[in-house]
PDB file of all heavy atoms in Angstrom:
ATOM      1  N   ASP S 250      70.679 122.207 195.545  1.00  0.00           N
ATOM      2  CA  ASP S 250      70.920 123.150 196.640  1.00  0.00           C
ATOM      3  C   ASP S 250      70.817 124.587 196.146  1.00  0.00           C
ATOM      4  O   ASP S 250      70.331 125.456 196.871  1.00  0.00           O
ATOM      5  CB  ASP S 250      72.300 122.909 197.257  1.00  0.00           C
ATOM      6  CG  ASP S 250      72.380 121.566 197.960  1.00  0.00           C
ATOM      7  OD1 ASP S 250      71.570 121.341 198.874  1.00  0.00           O
ATOM      8  OD2 ASP S 250      73.226 120.741 197.573  1.00  0.00           O
ATOM      9  N   VAL S 263      82.980 131.567 186.309  1.00  0.00           N
ATOM     10  CA  VAL S 263      82.087 130.887 187.258  1.00  0.00           C
ATOM     11  C   VAL S 263      82.581 129.473 187.536  1.00  0.00           C
ATOM     12  O   VAL S 263      82.589 129.004 188.682  1.00  0.00           O
ATOM     13  CB  VAL S 263      80.639 130.863 186.711  1.00  0.00           C
ATOM     14  CG1 VAL S 263      79.758 129.936 187.555  1.00  0.00           C
ATOM     15  CG2 VAL S 263      80.056 132.266 186.685  1.00  0.00           C
ATOM     16  N   LYS S 269      84.086 124.714 190.797  1.00  0.00           N
ATOM     17  CA  LYS S 269      85.157 123.809 191.213  1.00  0.00           C
ATOM     18  C   LYS S 269      85.318 123.748 192.731  1.00  0.00           C
ATOM     19  O   LYS S 269      85.900 122.801 193.258  1.00  0.00           O
ATOM     20  CB  LYS S 269      86.481 124.216 190.560  1.00  0.00           C
ATOM     21  CG  LYS S 269      86.524 123.937 189.060  1.00  0.00           C
ATOM     22  CD  LYS S 269      87.872 124.305 188.461  1.00  0.00           C
ATOM     23  CE  LYS S 269      87.915 123.977 186.971  1.00  0.00           C
ATOM     24  NZ  LYS S 269      89.216 124.340 186.351  1.00  0.00           N
TER      25      LYS S 269
END
Side-chain angles (χ1 to χ4, degrees):
D250 293 302
V263 169
K269 289 182 178 179

